[in-house]
């Protein structure tokens, strides 16, 4: 062969092997009496467009890099001004030609000089990298140490003989693309760099090479058995248990077990000749018995989330404070489990999980989802050339994290299809750690797993799986095996934008079917990167905002917390749905029922308190004595006599409600005493006199309702007749109408914009947009095809009667024969104006309505809001579990939910009345019959619809109110099932009414 045609050797970054030169993986421990030198800080940095733009002379100690930029480590260089982030969900942002990568391969050269401490003793030492994306080549003092891949996994090199007292030079070349990139197609930003710590670790003679803590618990005897295997041998002491054991020896003693609910840890010490390591040991046993996943002999219900590591400024670079913040937020919202999607987290996070209590499904750094696009051709997990890399990743995960009691399951990876490499991983893990089950969702046969796992299965299918009556597999033996396994939803309830809906219905299935052991909401946090417009307005960027030629838009923003870790309405809803104590009751009978939904803990850590409210105002409250119920136990208790009468009798006029709360009795590591864990609310007996929100009388005698602080109408309040006046207007009570169109122009002295008119459009949510998986659930597309975003209003007639003004309209889109015939009937008393609305659909409606109700505009000065109804946050038909009846005060601006991509938001459910006020106290009162959905914002639904980012929304001088009789449910159709049928807003005849009045200064 001619020399010019000879194929070049495959470069290390394209070789499918895991790398070279690294030491065998071992357990991670955060502290010992061996010395550590952090090499974090300012490094010199040079970015090149290709992998071979420069030679390796930069690794020479004498190389002059003083003109290079400074870059912090840990960091992702695209977030430090070098290149740009890019987001894809499934597809690879480079040609799929494994193991080759493009010549255009951003490559970052890093240099760090350091001195050893003056008392550094010399001898063996390790250089540790905890996370580098995606491939690195390392030199120390001009000597190459090796190469490695596996971005979210540690690697260590022996460097003792190369160290100098002064002037050490560490050089690292990092490539964005490598063969490893084919194994790391996780749904997240592509962000290269040294993004976890770099540490030099002293290894004294006789120090620990590795150790494995085995701490089992026997729930039948209440004893724990401890054995710590260690190389080299040494001793283990547990002072609280009186244990002093040689490594490799076992002892069985009475212990308190570890669980996510009661994370009991015992301080211990592992000592060898050269090192002492503090340990925190938790005794627990994980099993799958009779098709049920158990810990310490108890069935476990996973109330979980998928968690990516993310920070809006730093990407996957997280400090300890942020990790703790995540866990504290989870615990405060009743979350008890985390799937580490889709890679092992920073090891310190697992230390915190041990401490605070969290069930962990530890997932390997592996996903090859982009091969699905090409029919899984060339998938590495079924190519033996890649098996060493797969085993390397499995080993580095298991060895690093094996000593954490919080880790109760290993996951082989995510969305990799099937293949021999996964089987090899499962086999190796079982040999190394037979005491934890193995999880993997991508193989429906469950050939290699100990649990049956699915993503986004709908409620009906989950019910079938729960009863073990799901559709069979073709292979009889595999079907029998799978049918006997516990079931998890490793991803469900896609928390993208407004939503997710349907959580309550899922939770009832989990509680009904023993086999269904919960799941993990996708996901914890929106991955919006903090940016500013040229005008300095802050916003969160998503896919496409950095000029990517290939991206998946805002699909990267699908979390229960916003990028700045502010809880979303979805997290508030999830907290209520999964609360570990169920509280309900019968107000008329004066009974409250308390059920302990914990898996392991009794209720001794909680205190209970009741409140009795009338029209949203607390009348009385007190403590409720609840016994320390065991898990699963329930009790019925009598409530105290309601103020002013017997049980369930309200004090005074108005709607009365009981609310019972369960709160922490004492401080914990994640919340102070008094933190609310669960609550229940139920109506008292019907009021003795008409409530302020009661349905008004018939149009002939419209005794309009009053707000609680307003005087109710009296017999002197006569029905008013409409009359014509100068200027082409009709006067009716406090209302001034356009005589030609019937449009309300003024209510008392307040100007009204936009009629009011019938409104059926909402700015589609991410879940309304749906996904290609279920075209029938793509409501955004179907609504637009039907023209619901451009409805036209035809005036068919205005009738001025003896006691009413009637306006008949037809609301319809162009290009079709669909329509909504609407009759507005206005009646009035002296100071109240009542509108009855009758809507009749015309044509063949094959899509649900986004909403149905009134829209009108009021003066922008009416920015204060008070309402009696559901709150305090937003709610929709299938996201209203956390909405409790009360009286709430807010502002129009605070009613908005700032979803990263603007969309329908901010509705309050079950509203009886709402008041909008100016600063001087004057304002408007709106009362509904029946209760209604209330939304107020400083932009129209159409403006909200066209906005791509929050900065696109410009407040106007008008506040636009939506007073809705109905709303379409939310669902989680962005990557899962849509709203359940009972939450669909079908086009059907409806009648509803509102009463309007002016408020005086108070």
């Amino acid at each position: 062969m001619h020399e010019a045609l000879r194929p070049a050797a495959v470069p290390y970054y394209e070789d499918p092997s895991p790398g070279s030169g690294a030491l065998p993986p071992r357990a991670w421990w955060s502290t010992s009496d061996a010395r550590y030198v952090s090499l974090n800080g300012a490094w010199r940095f040079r970015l090149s467009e290709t992998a071979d733009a420069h030679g390796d002379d930069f690794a020479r100690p004498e190389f002059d890099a003083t003109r290079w930029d400074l870059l912090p480590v840990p960091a992702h260089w695209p977030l430090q001004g070098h290149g740009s982030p890019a987001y894809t969900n499934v597809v690879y942002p480079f040609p799929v030609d494994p193991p080759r990568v493009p010549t255009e391969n951003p490559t970052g050269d890093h240099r760090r000089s350091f001195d050893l401490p003056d008392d550094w003793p010399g001898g063996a030492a390790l250089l540790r990298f905890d996370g580098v994306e995606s491939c690195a080549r390392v030199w120390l003092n001009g000597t190459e140490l090796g190469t490695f891949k596996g971005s979210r996994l540690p690697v260590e090199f022996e460097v003792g003989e190369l160290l100098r007292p002064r002037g050490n030079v560490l050089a690292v070349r990092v490539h964005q693309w490598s063969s490893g990139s084919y194994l790391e197609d996780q749904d997240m930003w592509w962000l290269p760099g040294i993004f976890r710590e770099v540490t030099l670790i002293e290894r004294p003679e006789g120090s620990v090479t590795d150790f494995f803590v085995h701490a089992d618990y026997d729930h039948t005897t209440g004893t724990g058995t401890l054995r710590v295997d260690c190389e080299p041998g040494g001793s283990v002491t547990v002072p609280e248990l009186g244990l002093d054991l040689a490594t490799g020896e076992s002892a069985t003693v009475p212990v308190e077990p570890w669980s996510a609910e009661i994370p009991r840890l015992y301080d211990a010490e592992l000592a060898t000749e050269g090192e002492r390591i503090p340990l925190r040991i938790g005794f627990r046993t994980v099993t799958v018995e009779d098709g049920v996943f158990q810990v310490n002999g108890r069935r476990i219900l996973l109330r979980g989330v998928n968690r990516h590591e993310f920070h809006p400024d730093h990407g996957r670079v997280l400090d300890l404070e942020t990790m703790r913040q995540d866990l504290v937020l989870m615990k405060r919202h009743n979350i008890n489990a985390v799937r580490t999607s889709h890679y092992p987290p920073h090891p310190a996070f697992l230390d915190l999980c041990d401490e605070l209590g969290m069930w962990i499904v530890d997932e390997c750094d592996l996903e090859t989802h982009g091969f699905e696009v090409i029919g899984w051709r060339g998938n590495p997990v079924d190519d033996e050339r890649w098996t060493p890399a797969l085993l390397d990743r499995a080993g580095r995960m298991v060895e690093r994290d094996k000593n954490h009691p919080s880790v109760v399951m290993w996951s082989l990876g995510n969305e990799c299809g099937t293949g021999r490499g996964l089987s090899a991983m499962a086999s190796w893990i079982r040999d190394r750690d037979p005491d934890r089950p193995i999880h993997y969702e991508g193989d429906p046969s469950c050939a290699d797993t100990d649990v049956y796992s699915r993503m986004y299965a709908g409620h009906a299918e989950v019910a079938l799986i729960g009863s073990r009556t799901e559709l069979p597999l073709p292979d009889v033996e595999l079907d029998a095996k799978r049918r006997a396994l516990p079931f998890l939803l490793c991803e469900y309830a896609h928390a993208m934008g407004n939503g997710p809906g349907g959580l309550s219905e899922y939770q009832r299935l989990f509680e009904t079917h023993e086999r269904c052991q919960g799941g993990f909401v996708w996901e914890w946090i929106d991955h919006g990167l903090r940016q500013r417009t040229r005008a300095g307005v802050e916003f969160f960027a998503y896919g496409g905002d950095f000029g990517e030629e290939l991206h998946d838009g805002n699909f990267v923003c699908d979390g229960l917390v916003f990028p700045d870790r502010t809880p979303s309405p979805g997290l508030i809803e999830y907290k209520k749905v999964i609360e570990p104590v169920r509280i309900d009751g019968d107000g008329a009978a004066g009974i409250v029922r308390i059920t302990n939904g914990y898996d392991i803990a009794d209720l001794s850590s909680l205190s209970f308190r009741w409140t009795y409210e009338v029209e949203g105002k607390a009348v009385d409250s007190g403590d409720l004595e609840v016994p320390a119920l065991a898990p699963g136990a329930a009790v019925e208790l009598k409530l105290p006599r309601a103020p002013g009468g017997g049980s369930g009798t309200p004090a005074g006029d108005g709607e009365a409600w009981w609310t019972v709360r369960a709160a922490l009795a004492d401080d914990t590591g994640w919340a102070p005493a008094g933190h609310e864990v669960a609550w229940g609310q139920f109506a008292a007996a019907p009021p003795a006199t008409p409530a302020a929100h009661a349905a008004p009388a018939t149009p002939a005698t419209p005794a309009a309702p009053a707000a609680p602080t307003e005087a109710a109408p009296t017999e002197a309040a006569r029905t008013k007749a409409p009359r014509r006046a100068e200027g082409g207007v009709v006067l009716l009570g406090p209302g001034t109408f356009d005589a030609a169109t019937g449009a309300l122009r003024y209510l008392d002295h307040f100007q009204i914009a936009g009629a009011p008119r019938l409104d059926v459009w909402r700015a589609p949510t991410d879940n309304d947009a749906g996904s290609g998986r279920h075209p029938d659930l793509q409501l955004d597309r179907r609504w637009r095809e039907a023209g619901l975003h451009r409805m036209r209003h035809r005036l068919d007639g205005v009738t001025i009667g003896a006691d009413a003004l009637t306006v008949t309209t037809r609301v319809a889109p162009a290009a079709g024969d669909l329509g909504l015939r609407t009759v507005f009937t206005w009646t009035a008393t002296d100071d109240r104006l009542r509108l009855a609305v009758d809507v009749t659909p015309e044509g063949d409606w094959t899509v649900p309505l986004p909403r149905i109700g009134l829209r009108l505009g009021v003066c922008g000065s009416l920015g204060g809001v008070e309402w009696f109804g559901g709150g305090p946050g937003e709610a929709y038909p299938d996201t209203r579990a956390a909405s409790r009846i009360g009286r709430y005060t807010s502002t129009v601006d605070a009613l908005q939910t700032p979803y990263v991509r603007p969309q329908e938001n901010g509705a309050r459910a079950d509203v009886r009345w709402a008041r909008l006020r100016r600063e001087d106290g004057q304002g408007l009162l709106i009362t509904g019959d029946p209760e209604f959905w209330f939304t107020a914002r400083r932009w129209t639904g159409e403006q909200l619809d066209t906005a791509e980012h929050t900065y696109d929304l410009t407040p106007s001088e008008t506040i636009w109110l939506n007073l809705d009789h109905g709303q379409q449910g939310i669902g989680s159709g962005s990557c899962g099932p849509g709203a359940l049928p009972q939450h669909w807003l079908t086009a059907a005849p409806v009648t509803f009414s509102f009463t309007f009045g002016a408020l005086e200064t108070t």
Side-chain angles (χ1 to χ4, degrees):
M1 180 182 291
H2 192 278
E3 185 65 25
L5 299 179
R6 186 181 304 278
V10 175
Y12 64 90
Y13 52 85
E14 291 186 329
D15 190 321
S17 69
S20 62
L23 293 168
R26 64 186 178 104
W28 183 85
W29 54 93
S30 59
T31 61
S32 81
D33 61 354
R35 269 163 285 201
Y36 294 72
V37 175
S38 172
L39 298 181
N40 298 343
W43 290 48
R44 290 292 176 180
F45 177 77
R46 173 182 67 188
L47 181 63
S48 305
E49 294 182 0
T50 63
D52 55 1
H54 301 280
D56 56 12
D57 59 337
F58 83 102
R60 292 184 292 108
E62 63 272 19
F63 183 87
D64 183 7
T66 56
R67 296 186 179 181
W68 288 14
D69 294 326
L70 287 173
L71 183 82
V73 169
H76 301 284
W77 71 66
L79 300 184
Q80 301 295 326
H82 303 277
S84 298
Y87 166 64
T88 61
N89 171 26
V90 175
V91 299
Y92 292 104
F94 49 79
V96 181
D97 182 24
R100 307 300 300 278
V101 296
T103 299
E104 299 88 356
N105 187 359
T107 296
D109 290 335
H110 304 67
R111 276 178 59 101
R112 170 76 152 87
S113 298
F114 64 94
D115 298 331
L116 295 177
D118 291 338
D119 58 350
W120 188 268
L126 303 181
L127 176 65
R128 181 182 183 94
F129 295 87
D130 278 301
V132 181
E133 183 175 336
S134 74
C135 173
R137 186 180 179 190
V138 185
W139 297 262
L140 179 62
N141 294 329
T143 298
E144 182 173 349
L145 303 180
T147 64
F148 63 94
K149 311 178 189 79
S151 299
R152 268 67 65 176
L153 292 161
V155 67
E156 292 179 331
F157 298 98
E158 167 58 52
V159 296
E161 294 182 354
L162 299 176
L163 291 171
R164 307 168 180 171
R166 297 285 183 272
N168 293 282
V169 176
L170 177 59
V172 185
R173 173 163 286 169
V174 179
H175 307 285
Q176 174 160 12
W177 308 126
S178 70
S179 60
S181 302
Y182 287 99
L183 305 179
E184 297 174 4
D185 189 26
Q186 292 98 332
D187 175 13
M188 58 188 184
W189 294 98
W190 296 93
L191 292 172
I194 304 173
F195 68 96
R196 289 183 186 161
E197 291 80 4
V198 183
T199 312
L200 183 67
I201 307 170
E202 178 200 5
R203 295 285 79 203
E205 185 71 26
S207 62
V208 174
T209 301
D210 193 16
F211 68 94
F212 197 162
V213 175
H214 303 273
D216 300 326
Y217 178 72
D218 185 338
H219 66 278
T220 64
T221 63
T223 59
T225 300
L226 177 65
R227 186 184 86 248
V228 178
D229 297 328
C230 182
E231 178 60 37
S235 64
V236 180
T237 55
V238 189
E240 191 174 354
L241 297 176
L243 293 179
D244 188 348
L245 299 173
T247 56
E249 293 184 355
S250 298
T252 300
V253 293
V255 297
E256 298 173 40
W258 184 97
S259 70
E261 294 171 2
I262 307 174
R264 179 66 159 95
L265 293 171
Y266 290 89
D267 290 332
E269 185 179 75
L270 170 64
T272 64
E273 182 181 348
E275 187 174 17
R276 293 180 176 271
I277 301 173
L279 305 179
R280 296 190 301 176
I281 295 174
F283 291 87
R284 59 106 185 93
T285 297
V286 182
T287 58
V288 173
E289 295 185 19
D290 299 324
V292 177
F293 173 67
Q294 299 181 0
V295 180
N296 300 335
R298 300 284 303 179
R299 172 187 182 263
I300 301 300
L301 182 55
L302 300 173
R303 303 167 168 94
V305 292
N306 286 275
R307 174 186 178 267
H308 270 291
E309 295 181 306
F310 183 76
H311 189 281
D313 300 315
H314 310 301
R316 287 183 284 280
V317 180
L318 297 186
D319 58 17
L320 192 63
E321 180 181 352
T322 302
M323 298 179 214
R324 183 178 287 275
Q325 182 184 359
D326 274 347
L327 280 170
V328 165
L329 271 174
M330 290 177 191
K331 296 284 288 188
R332 289 183 177 183
H333 289 86
N334 295 327
I335 291 165
N336 71 357
V338 171
R339 175 182 176 225
T340 68
S341 55
H342 297 293
Y343 45 84
H346 191 291
F349 179 78
L350 298 180
D351 269 356
L352 292 172
C353 293
D354 296 341
E355 172 192 328
L356 298 177
M358 193 68 63
W359 308 118
I360 298 296
V361 176
D362 200 356
E363 191 150 272
C364 196
D365 190 9
L366 178 61
E367 181 169 336
T368 64
H369 201 177
F371 284 89
E372 182 182 35
V373 178
I374 59 171
W376 296 108
R377 292 187 304 275
N379 187 6
V381 304
D382 200 28
D383 183 337
E384 62 182 11
R385 294 177 302 164
W386 297 79
T387 299
L390 302 181
L391 291 172
D392 172 75
R393 289 170 185 248
R396 286 156 70 189
M397 172 184 70
V398 170
E399 298 296 2
R400 192 196 76 169
D401 298 340
K402 59 183 178 280
N403 294 321
H404 291 282
S406 56
V407 176
V408 294
M409 203 176 294
W410 301 116
S411 180
L412 301 180
N414 183 67
E415 293 175 322
C416 295
T418 59
R420 294 161 290 175
L422 292 169
S423 298
M425 293 171 67
S427 178
W428 184 91
I429 292 173
R430 281 198 177 91
D431 287 342
R432 179 59 174 147
D433 180 26
D435 295 331
R436 289 180 175 98
I438 293 177
H439 167 275
Y440 177 65
E441 179 272 340
D443 183 1
S445 76
C446 299
D448 296 315
T449 68
D450 301 303
V451 297
Y452 178 26
S453 178
R454 286 287 305 282
M455 292 181 182
Y456 306 109
H459 299 80
E461 185 180 2
V462 170
L464 290 174
I465 295 171
S467 59
R468 304 187 193 271
T469 57
E470 69 269 26
L471 292 175
L473 291 169
D475 187 301
V476 175
E477 290 186 4
L478 285 176
D479 181 69
K481 177 196 173 185
R482 192 183 76 175
R483 205 173 295 275
L485 297 178
F487 176 71
L488 302 178
L489 278 170
C490 68
E491 294 180 21
Y492 81 112
H494 198 248
M496 187 175 180
N498 187 333
L503 286 170
S504 295
E505 291 84 354
Y506 272 120
Q507 196 67 19
R508 298 297 85 77
L509 290 169
F510 301 157
E511 294 168 353
T512 300
H513 300 286
E514 184 182 51
R515 183 190 191 189
C516 294
Q517 300 197 237
F520 301 85
V521 168
W522 186 267
E523 65 160 299
W524 174 241
I525 188 169
D526 285 344
H527 300 202
L529 291 169
R530 198 190 320 265
Q531 300 287 296
R532 290 187 178 275
T533 66
R534 291 182 178 179
V537 178
E538 183 177 288
F539 71 101
F540 293 110
Y542 49 77
D545 286 336
F546 298 95
E548 305 102 301
E549 61 181 8
L550 194 66
H551 66 84
D552 286 301
N554 69 310
F555 204 74
V556 76
C557 295
D558 45 15
L560 290 171
V561 298
F562 296 128
D564 61 1
R565 285 177 164 73
T566 300
S568 77
L571 181 58
I572 306 303
E573 176 80 355
Y574 194 39
K575 175 185 178 180
K576 173 60 180 169
V577 167
I578 62 174
E579 60 188 6
V581 181
R582 295 288 177 210
I583 303 172
D584 56 16
D586 183 338
I591 291 174
V592 60
R593 288 180 291 272
I594 310 290
T595 303
N596 181 359
Y598 284 112
D599 299 319
I600 290 169
D602 62 25
L603 298 187
S604 60
S605 64
L606 302 179
S607 62
F608 292 78
R609 190 167 180 82
W610 59 267
T611 304
Y612 189 85
E613 296 179 342
V614 178
E615 288 300 304
K617 290 188 174 181
V619 174
D620 201 0
S621 62
D623 295 330
L624 184 68
E625 294 299 323
V626 177
L629 299 173
V635 66
E636 284 194 354
L637 301 172
K638 289 291 290 184
L639 289 164
R641 293 171 62 86
S647 292
T649 303
D653 296 339
E655 185 178 356
W657 286 79
W658 292 97
T659 303
V660 177
R661 299 173 174 85
L664 292 178
D666 300 297
D667 293 346
T668 69
W670 48 270
H675 166 76
E676 184 178 276
V677 172
W679 60 272
Q681 189 178 56
F682 40 96
T689 58
H693 66 271
T698 63
T701 56
T709 57
E710 307 297 323
T714 66
E715 293 182 3
R718 298 284 192 270
T719 300
K720 311 300 288 186
R723 61 185 178 87
R724 292 183 179 271
E726 294 182 0
V729 300
V730 173
L731 303 179
L732 178 60
T736 301
F737 295 81
D738 186 302
T741 65
L744 178 65
R745 297 304 184 204
Y746 288 90
L747 178 61
D748 204 335
H749 58 282
F750 291 100
Q751 187 173 5
I752 303 298
R757 66 196 301 179
L758 187 75
D759 191 15
V760 299
W761 182 246
R762 75 182 185 195
T765 68
D766 290 313
N767 288 308
D768 290 337
S771 69
R773 298 182 183 186
H774 304 288
D776 59 317
L777 299 180
Q778 293 179 315
L779 294 180
D780 183 0
R781 173 185 57 80
R782 296 179 64 197
W783 286 339
R784 293 182 195 275
E785 288 174 352
L788 301 190
H789 62 308
R790 46 177 172 78
M791 301 292 275
R792 297 293 179 261
H793 297 252
R794 186 184 73 208
L795 178 63
D796 284 347
V798 178
T799 302
I800 303 174
D803 57 5
L805 173 67
T806 303
V807 181
T808 304
T809 68
R810 186 175 190 271
V811 183
D817 60 354
L818 297 178
L820 297 168
R821 186 164 296 280
T822 309
V823 178
F824 299 93
T825 303
W826 293 93
T827 55
T829 59
D830 291 329
D831 59 355
R832 296 290 186 268
L833 192 62
R834 181 175 185 267
L835 171 60
V837 183
D838 292 280
V839 182
T840 305
E842 297 177 343
D844 183 16
W845 286 82
T846 60
V847 295
L849 295 171
R851 64 169 5 117
I852 190 165
L854 300 182
R855 184 173 80 177
L856 66 153
V858 299
C859 178
S861 62
L862 295 170
V865 183
E866 183 183 9
W867 73 96
F868 175 46
E874 76 178 27
Y876 290 83
D878 54 349
T879 65
R880 64 195 299 175
S883 179
R884 66 179 96 181
I885 302 300
R887 186 184 295 208
Y888 300 99
T889 301
S890 183
T891 65
V892 168
D893 296 334
L895 293 178
Q896 314 311 307
T897 303
Y899 293 112
V900 173
R901 187 191 72 81
Q903 55 198 273
E904 167 64 32
N905 72 90
R908 267 57 181 180
D910 303 312
V911 174
R912 280 72 165 153
W913 55 259
R915 298 190 293 195
L916 291 98
R917 287 190 183 276
R918 298 189 310 213
E919 290 185 357
D920 63 5
Q922 292 189 341
L924 297 175
L925 165 70
I926 304 167
T927 307
D929 179 22
E931 292 89 358
F932 61 100
W933 307 85
F934 174 75
T935 310
R937 54 174 68 103
R938 296 185 184 274
W939 37 77
T940 66
E942 289 78 10
Q943 291 169 327
L944 187 61
D945 185 9
T946 60
E948 296 292 332
H949 296 88
T950 51
Y951 62 74
D952 293 322
L953 294 169
T954 303
S956 71
E957 296 300 318
T958 300
I959 293 173
W960 293 98
L961 307 180
N962 275 99
L963 314 174
D964 291 317
H965 176 70
Q967 278 269 1
Q968 165 69 11
I970 298 296
S972 60
S974 53
C975 194
L980 287 165
Q982 61 265 36
H983 301 305
W984 279 52
L985 182 60
T986 56
V990 294
T991 299
F992 53 92
S993 67
F994 292 97
T995 302
F996 304 88
L999 300 172
E1000 299 302 325
T1001 304
T1002 58

